[in-house]
Amino acid sequence: MSHYAFMAPIKSGKAAAWKQYVQEMTTSRKDEMRASRKKLGLEKEEVWLQHTPNGDFAVVYIEAKNPGEVMQKMMTSEDPFDKWFREKVLIEVHGMDPSAPPPPPNEEILH
């Protein structure tokens, strides 16, 4: 099992929407999210909200056999929950472009 952590900036003015979407994912969409994450191969996912002088960030920690593959599948999946997550969270809140090449992996400095 591999682990991976990263930060994703939250667009200015989108923190409340991000919290609302997270609330949906942990309540009314909980079963959809669990099924999606299992299908994607995600074993563990933890997320924190980090406030900084440079804006808000989602701090994400995941565990999977292949974290890079999980992220690629998340960006291209046709599963209804994954499409909702991609449109609302990744694009609207984080400003990600699913058609763009992924950023380089983080460099692990201390373990």
Side-chain angles (χ1 to χ4, degrees):
M1 192 64 52
S2 294
H3 58 269
Y4 191 69
F6 63 94
M7 291 177 64
I10 295 173
K11 291 167 60 175
S12 180
K14 289 293 184 177
W18 181 81
K19 286 180 179 181
Q20 175 190 333
Y21 298 144
V22 170
Q23 174 72 19
E24 283 184 50
M25 293 185 316
T26 59
T27 57
S28 63
R29 293 182 171 268
K30 186 176 186 174
D31 292 339
E32 290 176 86
M33 186 179 108
R34 283 185 176 166
S36 162
R37 296 315 198 236
K38 184 176 182 175
K39 191 182 336 178
L40 293 171
L42 196 56
E43 298 289 329
K44 184 175 187 175
E45 178 179 29
E46 296 180 2
V47 182
W48 296 266
L49 175 60
Q50 176 70 57
H51 300 287
T52 77
N54 295 320
D56 294 332
F57 292 81
V59 179
V60 181
Y61 171 83
I62 62 172
E63 291 180 3
K65 288 182 183 173
N66 185 335
E69 184 177 290
V70 168
M71 300 306 287
Q72 179 62 33
K73 286 180 182 177
M74 193 176 288
M75 290 299 211
T76 59
S77 171
E78 289 298 315
D79 175 84
F81 176 83
D82 295 340
K83 288 169 77 173
W84 173 86
F85 180 79
R86 188 168 48 247
E87 289 178 19
K88 296 296 186 183
V89 178
L90 301 182
I91 296 171
E92 178 187 326
V93 172
H94 295 298
M96 294 182 183
D97 179 357
S99 65
N106 296 333
E107 180 182 358
E108 186 172 358
I109 302 297
L110 177 66
H111 180 83

